Amino acid sequence: QKEVEQNSGPLSVPEGAIASLNCTYSDRVSQSFFWYRQYSGKSPELIMSIYSNGDKEDGRFTAQLNKASQYVSLLIRDSQPSDSATYLCAVSNNRLAFGKGNQVVVIP
Amino acid sequence: KAGVTQTPRYLIKTRGQQVTLSCSPISGHRSVSWYQQTPGQGLQFLFEYFSETQRNKGNFPGRFSGRQFSNSRSEMNVSTLELGDSALYLCASSLGGPSSGSHSSYNEQFFGPGTRLTVL
């Protein structure tokens, strides 16, 4: 079982819609959870961190954490073409483990 | 506040050579982690340094090594380069808490622009 799994293929969403990304992790004792955005040819950029169960909102982004189900999600509301990127889920126990990422394409 | 810087940005080497990459963390950050990113494997953890000590290590061969200096700057060295070492090498810095797994924003990592290494 992979440490961090992001199984969805590329996600195409129309401009203004909600993009929903999911991530599961295997290490039950993981403490910190992050979402990074990576534009093509660029390095990952931290957009959200979440440490406790529930929702955390920051602008158009909402991260959701469910430790019992070992599940983290990211919602992007009112998607914009500038949101087109690969989104990486990262989980930290004693080091940061990354999922393979989900590509999001926002269609104007 | 200046971000994480990495030098050089691009490198072309041949098999068997060695290479040293440099990373300067955000001012005040004491932890530096190194990652290898390839299209097939994604982002893979190499190692983490905190206060000049290697705190964690990933599953890479001994050809990959690193160190951290007293000013928190870090270097990564790859010896006897192989074709498969071609990748984007990223470093990330964080404030660094007492434990790299602690439930704390001290462990939020910020990435540099990366060094693109091509091995011919």
Side-chain angles (χ1 to χ4, degrees), chain A residues 9-70:
Chain A
L11 179 65
S12 292
V13 295
E15 185 174 354
I18 295 175
S20 177
L21 303 170
N22 303 315
C23 169
T24 58
Y25 59 95
S26 61
D27 191 341
R28 187 169 286 278
V29 301
S30 297
Q31 297 276 5
S32 307
F33 308 86
F34 307 95
W35 284 97
Y36 285 82
R37 177 176 63 197
Q38 186 172 23
Y39 292 113
S40 179
K42 301 294 186 182
S43 60
E45 173 193 9
L46 179 65
I47 56 171
M48 288 290 284
S49 55
I50 186 166
Y51 305 104
S52 54
N53 281 328
D55 295 0
K56 179 181 177 182
E57 188 175 313
D58 184 358
R60 296 184 296 109
F61 298 103
T62 299
Q64 300 172 316
L65 174 61
N66 183 325
K67 289 187 178 180
S69 300
Q70 295 174 240

Side-chain angles (χ1 to χ4, degrees), chain A residues 96 98, chain B residues 33-36 43-46 89-90 109 111:
Chain A
L96 207 53
F98 284 83
Chain B
S33 297
W34 288 90
Y35 298 87
Q36 181 195 67
L43 262 169
Q44 293 188 287
F45 172 76
L46 281 155
Y89 290 87
L90 293 158
Q109 295 189 14
F111 283 85

Side-chain angles (χ1 to χ4, degrees), chain A residues 91-103:
Chain A
V91 175
S92 177
N93 182 4
N94 62 355
R95 59 179 179 81
L96 207 53
F98 284 83
K100 290 283 183 73
N102 286 124
Q103 185 181 9

Side-chain angles (χ1 to χ4, degrees), chain B:
Chain B
K1 187 183 278 191
V4 180
T5 58
Q6 290 187 247
T7 56
R9 293 293 310 279
Y10 301 92
L11 264 180
I12 299 176
K13 294 286 187 178
T14 56
R15 281 181 299 173
Q17 288 187 307
Q18 76 165 21
V19 67
T20 300
L21 312 181
S22 181
C23 173
S24 292
I26 292 170
S27 177
H29 283 195
R30 296 166 64 192
S31 172
V32 174
S33 297
W34 288 90
Y35 298 87
Q36 181 195 67
Q37 188 174 36
T38 58
Q41 298 299 318
L43 262 169
Q44 293 188 287
F45 172 76
L46 281 155
F47 27 67
E48 180 205 4
Y49 286 87
F50 178 77
S51 293
E52 301 180 67
T53 301
Q54 188 180 87
R55 186 155 66 172
N56 286 298
K57 190 177 187 303
N59 298 322
F60 278 79
R63 300 186 296 108
F64 292 82
S65 63
R67 59 179 176 168
Q68 186 180 35
F69 302 94
S70 58
N71 62 357
S72 294
R73 189 177 71 85
S74 178
E75 287 183 348
M76 189 191 92
N77 185 76
V78 188
S79 62
T80 320
L81 284 166
E82 300 176 0
L83 295 179
D85 297 333
S86 294
L88 179 66
Y89 290 87
L90 293 158
C91 81
S93 78
S94 65
L95 285 168
S99 165
S100 55
S102 64
H103 176 277
S104 167
S105 61
Y106 271 58
N107 294 314
E108 289 179 349
Q109 295 189 14
F110 300 89
F111 283 85
T115 294
R116 173 75 61 185
L117 172 64
T118 302
V119 182
L120 302 175

